[in-house]
Amino acid sequence: MKQESTNRQRKIIHIDMDAFYASVEQRDNPDYRGKPIVVGGPPQGRGGVVATASYEARKFGIKSAMPSKKALELCPEVIFVKPHFEAYKEVSTRIREIFRRYTDLIEPLSLDEAYLDVTEDKQNIGSAIKIAQLIKAAIKEELHLTASAGVSLNKFVAKTASDMNKPDGLTFIAPEAVSEFMEQLPVEKFFGVGRVTAEKMKGMGLHTGADLKKLDEAQMVRYFGKAGRFYYQIVRGEDNRQVEPHRETKSLAAEDTFAADLTGVADMNAALEKLAGTVSKRLERYQLKGRTVTLKIKYSDFKIITRNHSFPHPVGTFDIILETAKNLLAATDLHDKKIRLLGISISNFGEIVRKQKNDSTGQLLLFTDQSSQ
Ligand code: DCP
Ligand code: MG
């Protein structure tokens, strides 16, 4: 049986930094300010890709995941900037510290994005809108960056709202407005609806939340599988997914982007040796061991693959991690491959067994910093 949805209304904030990598680069380099810049691979080599573009560059139609070559065509004066992940990680830590002034119920989704549950806040401010304003102001004052916030009664509406008035936006969807908000929402804005599903929906004459609402739960599941049940609920403003803190501590990872792409196995193994050293030292420092070793490979065309191996018992020593990572690498197709990044992560720490939501959208962020929905 479904539980009664809300005995107590929650207050959820979703915060998302504006043009994150690009804004950090513009902040740290005055030459880039007010200019169209792209963070990512340069257009010269094969397969450079836009990680993100400054708002000035977006005016030309440049977007994340677009080939850099295309970006250059759209805007010949665009400036390509190499990413500085350490700087992004630093900002990410600092924004989480700001969030923690108000609540410990923080669920990061990526470096630049998080859900906060402020139903009860540490400072007894009481107003989620006020808290969102204070957080935005602190980010501006202390980090010289802007963020956009969405405030509502559940994760889905808060996340959708944060995207509505970017950059530097604050959008509040009041509880009594949620129903109407969901009805007018185009189907492609539904979380988890990719291009393919959106096309399928439109082919069926389903363009907005209001259209989706006409289908009963069984129809939704029949047409859209397990996700259909989730859509059925959210279109009615029901999203009981909790804000789950500490998800990111489920793995410990180290990765390295190389100045020049690696082509030989010897160089790759040397890189793995360094990473295994970093990971094993950090495991030791935190007194952790994990059952799963994951190898992440990003090729020169930015394609990412991960391979993992799980042991029956937790492991953590340098030798085992290195040997496992080397074996995982050797089992991939290395023919003609150029590698721009390698990473090793350890997960399955054992003690923390977290319940997974049974909806298909419960995101599990084990590895990537760059999840795009
Ligand atoms: N990112 C990436 N590749 C993608 C998408 C994103 O490397 N395909 C990185 C770069 C972004 C960061 O993740 O700066 C955050 O992603 P967002 O989707 O939040 O995009 P931005 O913060 O850049 O822009 P917005 O203002 O739209 O949030
Ligand atoms: Mg962002």
Side-chain angles (χ1 to χ4, degrees):
M1 283 312 301
K2 225 182 343 164
Q3 270 196 306
E4 202 44 55
S5 56
T6 43
N7 342 0
R8 172 131 193 253
Q9 206 149 69
R10 292 181 295 157
K11 297 174 187 173
I12 310 294
I13 301 176
H14 178 259
I15 302 263
D16 187 324
M17 301 296 288
D18 301 319
F20 183 47
Y21 295 0
S23 303
V24 173
E25 299 299 337
Q26 287 181 319
R27 179 194 70 174
D28 296 345
N29 188 336
D31 290 347
Y32 300 154
R33 290 185 200 153
K35 299 209 179 120
I37 73 162
V38 154
V39 179
Q44 288 84 358
R46 265 191 312 130
V49 170
V50 175
T52 196
S54 66
Y55 276 85
E56 294 84 354
R58 292 182 194 197
K59 285 190 199 132
F60 294 87
I62 300 175
K63 290 182 188 149
S64 289
M66 176 181 274
S68 297
K69 236 174 114 188
K70 174 94 189 286
L72 189 63
E73 280 165 26
L74 290 169
C75 175
E77 69 266 34
V78 72
I79 304 168
F80 289 91
V81 181
K82 270 194 298 185
H84 295 93
F85 291 105
E86 284 313 311
Y88 315 146
K89 284 189 183 144
E90 155 82 13
V91 171
S92 187
T93 307
R94 299 277 303 273
I95 58 174
R96 288 177 200 174
E97 280 164 15
I98 292 172
F99 302 157
R100 224 169 287 131
R101 295 172 195 168
Y102 303 97
T103 180
D104 289 324
L105 283 177
I106 301 163
E107 180 182 328
L109 295 176
S110 64
L111 285 183
D112 88 321
E113 200 185 330
Y115 289 116
L116 281 62
D117 184 326
V118 294
T119 312
E120 283 173 33
D121 70 274
K122 286 181 176 175
Q123 302 189 26
N124 283 323
I125 294 167
S127 157
I129 301 176
K130 182 74 197 163
I131 294 168
Q133 283 168 341
L134 290 166
I135 287 172
K136 276 163 54 70
I139 290 174
K140 208 174 276 183
E141 236 161 72
E142 298 168 31
L143 304 176
H144 309 287
L145 292 166
T146 63
S148 292
V151 179
S152 196
L153 45 64
N154 66 38
K155 281 184 171 182
F156 180 80
V157 180
K159 183 168 165 76
T160 312
S162 74
D163 207 34
M164 289 177 61
N165 290 299
K166 270 183 165 288
D168 204 12
L170 197 172
T171 308
F172 169 59
I173 307 295
E176 59 274 18
V178 166
S179 185
E180 202 188 321
F181 176 77
M182 292 307 306
E183 284 174 8
Q184 58 74 43
L185 203 65
V187 290
E188 55 267 31
K189 295 268 179 180
F190 277 67
F191 183 69
V193 173
R195 199 169 302 160
V196 175
T197 309
E199 285 313 310
K200 180 175 172 181
M201 287 179 170
K202 287 178 185 171
M204 297 166 70
L206 306 168
H207 299 274
T208 62
D211 296 330
L212 287 182
K213 228 174 171 172
K214 290 181 196 138
L215 301 182
D216 65 29
E217 194 167 352
Q219 286 173 310
M220 290 293 267
V221 173
R222 181 146 22 98
Y223 299 142
F224 308 113
K226 230 165 92 180
R229 183 166 300 124
F230 180 68
Y231 304 149
Y232 178 84
Q233 290 170 357
I234 52 172
V235 77
R236 287 164 177 77
E238 292 168 23
D239 174 6
N240 295 328
R241 290 174 301 156
Q242 300 298 305
V243 172
E244 295 190 47
H246 308 308
R247 274 194 170 189
E248 85 274 33
T249 57
K250 289 173 98 165
S251 73
L252 192 150
E255 56 183 54
D256 218 351
T257 303
F258 310 112
D261 293 347
L262 303 185
T263 49
V265 177
D267 285 349
M268 295 170 193
N269 283 341
L272 290 181
E273 203 169 312
K274 204 173 133 210
L275 292 168
T278 308
V279 170
S280 55
K281 267 188 223 130
R282 287 176 57 200
L283 285 172
E284 197 182 305
R285 195 178 334 135
Y286 296 117
Q287 296 282 298
L288 281 171
K289 283 179 176 188
R291 287 205 305 111
T292 304
V293 178
T294 302
L295 173 73
K296 174 179 172 183
I297 305 174
K298 190 191 271 183
Y299 297 103
S300 54
D301 62 0
F302 279 72
K303 183 173 173 242
I304 295 173
I305 65 161
T306 59
R307 295 288 180 266
N308 63 67
H309 178 80
S310 291
F311 291 88
H313 305 292
V315 298
T317 60
F318 170 78
D319 288 344
I320 291 181
I321 294 171
L322 178 59
E323 191 194 331
T324 311
K326 279 184 179 174
N327 290 340
L328 288 168
L329 178 70
T332 66
D333 172 18
L334 288 173
H335 180 67
D336 260 0
K337 292 282 194 300
K338 293 182 188 168
I339 292 182
R340 63 175 279 121
L341 172 150
L342 283 171
I344 297 178
S345 84
I346 310 297
S347 56
N348 257 326
F349 295 136
E351 277 111 78
I352 323 158
V353 181
R354 239 165 254 287
K355 262 196 309 186
Q356 269 310 106
K357 296 268 157 204
N358 63 0
D359 70 57
S360 62
T361 59
Q363 280 187 316
L364 187 61
L365 289 166
L366 275 185
F367 210 112
T368 68
D369 286 332
Q370 298 167 28
S371 73
S372 56
Q373 69 160 41

